[in-house]
Amino acid sequence: MRRALELAARGRATGPNPRVGCVLLDADGTVSAEGFHAGAGTPHAEVAALTALAGPETGLTAVVTLEPCSHTGRTPPCTQALLAAGVARVVVAADDPNPQAAGGAAVLRAAGVDVETGLLAAESGALNERWTAAVRRGRPWVTWKWASTLDGRSAAADGSSRWITSAAARADVHRLRAAHDAVLVGTGTALADDPALTVRADGTEVAGEQPLRVVLGHRELPPHARLRDARAPLRQLRTHDPHEALAALAAEEVRTVLLEGGPTVAAAFWRAGLVDEVVCYLAPALLGAGPLAVGDLGVTGMPDIARLALRDVVRVGDDVRLTARPLPPVAPGAGDPTTTHPAVHQEASSVHRDR
């Protein structure tokens, strides 16, 4: 199963489908074939492994990181492929949370296949954490990214903002973009900055599919806007409602969204409870005046303070990247969440520093 998880990790981290790996064992427990899912429209891991077999075999065991699908989508059901190949036993790490595809284990058992589930389920869940959350919630996973000076400014008093962070941090942002299905900004940012919102390396667009560029708001983009070019698809959602925006993206099977700003739009997502992770690039610099990087979060006093669980601290060039996740609200009188919430203690050991 650990080998199957390694194979799954080779799959595409973005797109509508999860990452899945499969190892086929012969009747003696020897590996006969391997496979993984490379992305939507390509063979699923089980079919890829079966195709890699040198020839027909009996008594096969399929070790799969996710429950084999039982429905016809872009490809036929994996359960039928396993049955047609005469697989005798299937070992599954995690159940499929997608109601459209779940039920494969039951189908296989009904056909007389020996099925075991739950082996390294936590590891499989971690591999597809954002995809699983998106499927279960019916909306994309949202990562809020921003960059600021030590005094929390996103630009100088005259509005100039290039560049607050180092070249290394900006390159890291492009890797972050590449890990998401869509990049979202408001019309204010789109009109003021004329961003491209593409994934680039050394100033040049990387090869392959680019994230969907999403603009939230009613104002029209000018015809010459860089967001209108052919380098990546564009979707303008003419609404200010974050729930409505994510519902529209979910309908297009967008699983992950990188929220890049500006502060007003980002704060609206936060107030709506729709931010799953925060990534902040903090530059060792001071401006003393200028626009704040974060807008009004609805906090009026210390009892309402927005607490986050720190998951990762990494030095990137001369800057620091902090990754954190919102903590659930603490009931009045429950104590200081920074010392009492279990998530804080759980994550403390994962924080590391690049020296």
Side-chain angles (χ1 to χ4, degrees):
M1 185 63 79
R2 294 195 186 279
R3 174 57 181 166
L5 287 166
E6 291 176 359
L7 292 167
R10 297 182 185 178
R12 184 176 172 183
T14 57
N17 292 354
R19 291 185 284 180
V20 184
C22 177
V23 175
L24 295 177
L25 306 175
D26 65 18
D28 296 325
T30 302
V31 174
S32 291
E34 300 177 337
F36 67 93
H37 180 52
T42 67
H44 287 192
E46 300 92 324
V47 174
L50 290 171
T51 303
L53 282 172
E57 293 190 33
T58 59
L60 283 171
T61 293
V63 181
V64 192
T65 60
L66 192 69
E67 179 183 18
C69 66
S70 61
H71 81 304
T72 300
R74 294 178 178 86
T75 59
C78 292
T79 49
Q80 297 307 310
L82 293 169
L83 292 173
V87 171
R89 181 170 176 247
V90 176
V91 180
V92 176
D95 296 334
D96 194 330
N98 187 346
Q100 294 181 338
V107 170
L108 293 170
R109 287 191 182 103
V113 177
D114 179 17
V115 180
E116 299 178 33
T117 61
L119 179 61
L120 300 184
E123 287 84 345
S124 176
L127 185 68
N128 288 307
E129 178 188 22
R130 299 188 303 173
W131 175 84
T132 300
V135 168
R136 286 178 172 163
R137 297 170 184 169
R139 66 154 178 89
W141 172 281
V142 176
T143 303
W144 173 18
K145 164 262 165 186
W146 81 82
S148 77
T149 58
L150 289 178
D151 53 345
R153 307 290 174 175
S154 62
D158 64 359
S160 59
S161 61
R162 295 184 179 179
W163 296 102
I164 284 178
T165 54
S166 64
R170 297 195 298 275
D172 197 65
V173 169
H174 284 282
R175 288 189 287 270
L176 187 63
R177 281 182 184 172
H180 289 76
D181 296 328
V183 181
L184 187 149
V185 299
T187 51
T189 295
L191 294 172
D193 297 346
D194 189 25
L197 299 184
T198 53
V199 177
R200 301 184 297 279
D202 298 324
T204 303
E205 271 76 23
V206 299
E209 187 175 348
Q210 289 278 344
L212 174 68
R213 301 181 290 190
V214 182
V215 178
L216 195 65
H218 296 285
R219 286 181 288 175
E220 194 63 57
L221 298 177
H224 59 274
R226 291 201 291 171
L227 286 171
R228 290 191 180 278
D229 62 32
R231 292 180 290 179
L234 169 68
R235 190 80 69 251
Q236 185 161 8
L237 302 177
R238 300 183 186 277
T239 179
H240 292 130
D241 183 346
H243 289 280
E244 186 177 336
L246 292 186
L249 293 175
E252 298 186 38
E253 294 189 300
V254 171
R255 305 298 191 200
T256 53
V257 171
L258 181 62
L259 181 60
E260 290 209 27
T264 301
V265 168
F269 274 79
W270 180 276
R271 292 194 304 270
L274 297 174
V275 173
D276 300 297
E277 190 162 73
V278 169
V279 178
C280 172
Y281 293 87
L282 197 60
L286 300 169
L287 284 170
L292 293 172
V294 177
D296 180 9
L297 302 181
V299 176
T300 57
M302 287 305 295
D304 304 320
I305 189 170
R307 300 281 187 185
L308 297 94
L310 189 63
R311 296 178 64 87
D312 196 40
V313 180
V314 179
R315 179 170 176 170
V316 184
D318 291 330
D319 308 308
V320 175
R321 184 189 69 212
L322 298 98
T323 303
R325 294 187 181 177
L327 288 172
V330 177
D336 183 355
T338 61
T339 59
T340 60
H341 197 281
V344 176
H345 303 289
Q346 180 181 356
E347 298 300 342
S349 62
S350 71
V351 176
H352 64 279
R353 293 166 179 81
D354 178 3
R355 299 188 187 278

